Amino acid sequence: MEERILRLNIAGQPIEWLHWQDAVCLYARDLVAWSLGGSVRKVMGGYARCSGVRSQITLPAIIACGGSRIARYRQIPPLTNRALFARDNHLCLYCGKTFSSALLSRDHVHPISRGGRDVWQNVVAACKRCNQRKGNHLLEDIDMELLALPFRPNIAEYLALINSDRIRGDQMEFLRPQFSEHRNWH
């Protein structure tokens, strides 16, 4: 799997994951203000007409970008099933068993049909069996309980969740101090 580059805004707040091609474009447009971490990839360019020297750029694991339009810091990460299942460690938060993503579903603790919202603090990963059993009931009305409380990850946690299968040590080292205290990361 291809490594990605962690993009920060000029203040050092994490923004997004980039493919190496996008990072090269940011360097070409002179928008990279500073960088951290080890080398992700060395990219070779063309040959200079006068000198015959081939251009090259070594892309670091983390780049901070400035420019006239600074990337906006996102306060609330988007709610996706992939990130939700990663947040809950691929566990059904009702029965406690581990499942693949294909066998999990998003359950609304307070059902939408009863005024609940589709937000991080109201959703958990649930196996299809438990989700069907719960239906649109409130937990206090049936014999089911949650194994953990749902929470909204901050943006650093979210970026680690959605890229957990290919995150580098230097990138995790940068993100980890920004994680919430209640999250136990391996």
Side-chain angles (χ1 to χ4, degrees):
M1 213 167 261
E2 191 173 299
E3 293 178 334
R4 293 201 177 170
I5 297 167
L6 179 60
R7 179 182 178 194
L8 315 174
N9 66 14
I10 194 72
Q13 297 167 314
I15 302 295
E16 63 184 341
W17 292 108
L18 297 174
H19 291 283
W20 66 268
Q21 297 98 327
D22 297 323
V24 168
C25 290
L26 290 170
Y27 270 102
R29 293 172 39 212
D30 200 27
L31 293 176
V32 177
W34 50 273
S35 63
L36 293 171
S39 171
V40 170
R41 178 183 280 251
K42 186 177 188 177
V43 180
M44 304 302 288
Y47 293 92
R49 187 179 303 173
C50 296
S51 67
V53 175
R54 190 171 189 186
S55 64
Q56 67 180 15
I57 185 168
T58 301
L59 298 173
I62 303 167
I63 61 173
C65 299
S68 58
R69 285 185 39 212
I70 296 174
R72 218 181 64 205
Y73 184 67
R74 196 182 326 181
Q75 293 292 327
I76 300 173
L79 175 58
T80 65
N81 283 349
R82 179 178 176 196
L84 171 66
F85 300 160
R87 181 200 71 181
D88 294 348
N89 294 319
H90 286 83
L91 291 175
C92 170
L93 288 191
Y94 295 112
C95 69
K97 295 177 185 169
T98 302
F99 293 90
S100 69
S101 294
L103 298 175
L104 285 172
S105 60
R106 180 186 305 191
D107 180 64
H108 296 84
V109 178
H110 188 111
I112 290 179
S113 64
R114 294 186 171 210
R117 296 181 30 220
D118 192 33
V119 295
W120 283 101
Q121 300 89 325
N122 188 46
V123 294
V124 295
C127 69
K128 295 181 180 180
R129 181 175 178 255
C130 286
N131 197 346
Q132 187 173 19
R133 180 174 165 232
K134 181 180 167 283
N136 73 338
H137 298 287
L138 298 173
L139 291 178
E140 56 265 17
D141 296 341
I142 58 175
D143 187 29
M144 289 181 83
E145 56 185 55
L146 280 173
L147 299 175
L149 294 175
F151 67 95
R152 181 184 74 209
N154 65 35
I155 195 66
E157 293 167 335
Y158 173 76
L159 289 171
L161 289 170
I162 64 170
N163 200 43
S164 62
D165 55 346
R166 57 184 165 203
I167 195 166
R168 295 168 44 101
D170 48 2
Q171 294 167 332
M172 185 59 102
E173 187 178 323
F174 180 85
L175 292 172
R176 186 174 282 121
Q178 301 174 58
F179 293 171
S180 303
E181 292 178 24
H182 66 271
R183 181 67 176 148
N184 180 22
W185 291 85
H186 312 302

